[in-house]
Amino acid sequence: MSRVPVRFAAALAAVLALLLAGCGSGGSEAPAAGPTPGFPVTVQHAFGQTTIPTRPQRVVTVGYNDADFALALGVVPVGVRDFIGAFDETTRPWAQQALNGARPEMVGGNEIDIEKVASLQPDLILGVYSYMDRATYDRLSQIAPTVADPVENVAAPWQEQTRITARALGVPERGEQVVGDVERRFADARAANPQLAGKSIAVALVASGEYNLLGRDDARTQLFTGLGLGVQETTETLSTEQLGRLDQQGVAVLGVPPQTVLANPLFANLGAVRADRVAFLGDEASPVAGALGFSSPLSLPFALDQVTPELARVYGTP
């Protein structure tokens, strides 16, 4: 996770301003002879709009987490991008059932391997969470219809990423069902833990000795805000003198084991730490860190099961 760039998630209202235009709604049936029901579909994104003529059969995902969104909608990609970092995403527990033993080929990590993408002969390239630039989009779109980020250098909230992906795959109804199912999981967790509502939390990503206070512009905070916790708007890297800003009603630490930060006297002497109001959520190789990084319809329920009990401890029982 330390090598994953901090990703900026737009406010939901800003993303909703991008209208997704489509011709009808597709189902999940196999392609029929002649025109495919629900297609063509047109999806708008940062670099214009992409028309997908028929239901895709060979999907390559070039976004950091796009594979999970395709899997949640019943599509196993033939190629995926490395999530980057210490977490081994090939073993992620929340995706194994959907993968059903498949092992998609890697099509890059820090950079997209365009030649590898082409070799897989895709009929759709999904990069909704890819941070691709215009030049990369232009090259990919020569291979197959390509859906880029909804706004350049801005990532959509998981709900919108699900809907964008579902429209591109021709299964908008299934996308709404997936969003509804996960939102109900969050609603149940909020109802069971009303003590979380409106409380502040400092989400600290610690990597290479740096303390990053994550904001709502980072995908990894979506679980916390979904539970009703207050997270600051913008991600910041804190200097040593600024570590006191972590002293909020609760603290969540990602990226390092507890002993690493507790060895720092400035951290150890924070009021929240002395009051045992810290949730240590694993180092960068842990499944919880990976699940928060993916922030997908598959990984968020897994993360809820792992993280919510610890947050309940931090904030006390209802």
Side-chain angles (χ1 to χ4, degrees), residues 74-99:
V75 173
V76 179
V78 297
V80 300
R81 186 174 183 176
D82 183 18
F83 179 64
I84 306 178
F87 175 66
D88 180 7
E89 75 268 23
T90 64
T91 66
R92 62 195 191 278
W94 57 86
Q96 297 310 305
Q97 182 176 356
L99 282 166

Side-chain angles (χ1 to χ4, degrees), residues 200-235:
S200 67
I201 188 166
V203 184
L205 169 65
V206 184
S208 302
E210 285 191 341
Y211 287 73
N212 300 286
L213 180 55
L214 302 185
R216 297 173 68 95
D217 56 359
D218 189 284
R220 285 164 285 203
T221 65
Q222 292 185 90
L223 178 135
F224 304 98
T225 57
L227 287 170
L229 291 165
V231 176
Q232 70 175 41
E233 286 297 320
T234 307
T235 298

Side-chain angles (χ1 to χ4, degrees), residues 44-299:
Q44 293 188 348
H45 51 77
F47 304 120
Q49 62 182 30
T50 293
T51 297
I52 303 152
T54 59
R55 187 178 308 284
Q57 301 299 306
R58 294 182 60 81
V59 176
V60 170
T61 60
V62 297
Y64 294 101
N65 68 354
D66 284 64
D68 262 16
F69 288 80
L71 289 169
L73 295 164
V75 173
V76 179
V78 297
V80 300
R81 186 174 183 176
D82 183 18
F83 179 64
I84 306 178
F87 175 66
D88 180 7
E89 75 268 23
T90 64
T91 66
R92 62 195 191 278
W94 57 86
Q96 297 310 305
Q97 182 176 356
L99 282 166
N100 194 28
R103 288 293 179 263
E105 297 192 44
M106 289 290 177
V107 295
N110 286 309
E111 302 292 334
I112 299 169
D113 185 340
I114 294 176
E115 289 71 25
K116 181 63 176 180
V117 172
S119 75
L120 295 176
Q121 300 181 311
D123 49 17
L124 176 64
I125 300 170
L126 288 173
V128 186
Y129 195 22
S130 65
Y131 287 74
M132 71 174 74
D133 57 20
R134 181 67 197 230
T136 301
Y137 169 77
D138 288 342
R139 293 181 66 190
L140 289 172
S141 61
Q142 293 174 5
I143 299 169
T146 300
V147 179
D149 306 77
V151 180
E152 191 172 5
N153 295 324
V154 174
W158 69 266
Q159 296 95 329
E160 288 308 303
Q161 188 173 354
T162 303
R163 293 183 172 110
I164 292 168
T165 304
R167 183 175 292 280
L169 295 174
V171 290
E173 297 93 347
R174 184 163 182 172
E176 291 301 325
Q177 179 182 353
V178 168
V179 169
D181 288 346
V182 177
E183 287 187 333
R184 278 189 289 276
R185 291 288 302 272
F186 273 101
D188 290 345
R190 289 194 302 270
N193 297 278
Q195 75 275 27
L196 305 183
K199 299 292 178 57
S200 67
I201 188 166
V203 184
L205 169 65
V206 184
S208 302
E210 285 191 341
Y211 287 73
N212 300 286
L213 180 55
L214 302 185
R216 297 173 68 95
D217 56 359
D218 189 284
R220 285 164 285 203
T221 65
Q222 292 185 90
L223 178 135
F224 304 98
T225 57
L227 287 170
L229 291 165
V231 176
Q232 70 175 41
E233 286 297 320
T234 307
T235 298
E236 300 175 75
T237 298
L238 302 180
S239 66
T240 300
E241 295 76 16
Q242 293 175 312
L243 287 189
R245 293 180 56 193
L246 298 175
D247 199 5
Q248 299 184 28
Q249 289 173 295
V251 182
V253 176
L254 295 167
V256 293
Q259 59 269 25
T260 298
V261 288
L262 292 175
N264 181 335
L266 291 176
F267 180 88
N269 286 319
L270 294 174
V273 177
R274 288 186 280 106
D276 196 23
R277 299 198 310 271
V278 182
F280 294 101
L281 301 181
D283 62 26
E284 62 178 343
S286 72
V288 170
L292 292 174
F294 268 87
S295 285
S296 74
L298 295 181
S299 74

